Amino acid sequence: MTFYNCMLLLSLVLCVSAQNWFTDAGAFIRDAYRGAGDMWRAYSDMREANYKNADKYFHARGNYDAAQRGPGGKWAAEVISDAREDWQGGISGRGAEDTRQDQEANAWGRSGGDPNRYRPEGLPSKY
């Protein structure tokens, strides 16, 4: 009978752990989805603003907003930022220094740093 009691106890522990794992995985996916939306909103705002020297601000803001969602948002921000910089690095013609500066702004925002550090003077308050 002891063997069956141990198996029952182990099964209960695994079920409780699995339920938490599914809940955590669901929250991660939700945060990643919403974080990707934050990144898209920052990109759209950057295109709409079309303001000189504002791209670093929008990089930092998108990463900041996404990371505030939680681990999933932070992950999405990193994946999107890295993919964009890898893709853009060979196409934009701006070079390695611009990519380095973009990645610095991305990391600053993801780590919780204030995006306004990169905000250019005169950028409308709408952004």
Side-chain angles (χ1 to χ4, degrees), residues 22 28 33-34 42 46 54 66-67 71 74 80 86-87 89 102 106-107:
F22 287 122
F28 184 90
Y33 178 79
R34 291 177 179 170
M46 180 178 71
K74 189 173 185 176
I80 292 167
D86 288 346
W87 177 78
D102 285 350
N106 293 337

Side-chain angles (χ1 to χ4, degrees), residues 3 9 17 22 25 28 37 45 50 53-54 58 65 77 84 89 92 98-99 106-107 110 115:
F3 173 76
L9 182 60
S17 296
F22 287 122
F28 184 90
D45 286 350
N50 195 27
N53 298 322
F58 288 106
D65 291 346
R84 182 174 186 276
S92 73
D98 185 63
T99 296
N106 293 337
R110 270 194 312 274

Side-chain angles (χ1 to χ4, degrees), residues 93-105:
R94 293 188 181 126
E97 183 59 21
D98 185 63
T99 296
R100 187 194 64 73
Q101 290 173 352
D102 285 350
Q103 289 289 43
E104 179 184 299

Side-chain angles (χ1 to χ4, degrees), residues 33-84:
Y33 178 79
R34 291 177 179 170
D38 292 329
M39 296 292 288
W40 178 255
R41 188 170 37 266
Y43 176 74
S44 297
D45 286 350
M46 180 178 71
R47 302 281 298 182
E48 179 184 302
N50 195 27
Y51 200 85
K52 188 172 182 161
N53 298 322
D55 72 320
K56 306 300 182 266
Y57 165 73
F58 288 106
H59 279 269
R61 195 193 85 189
N63 277 270
Y64 176 85
D65 291 346
Q68 295 303 301
R69 302 272 182 192
K74 189 173 185 176
W75 173 82
E78 187 170 5
V79 168
I80 292 167
S81 295
D82 289 348
R84 182 174 186 276

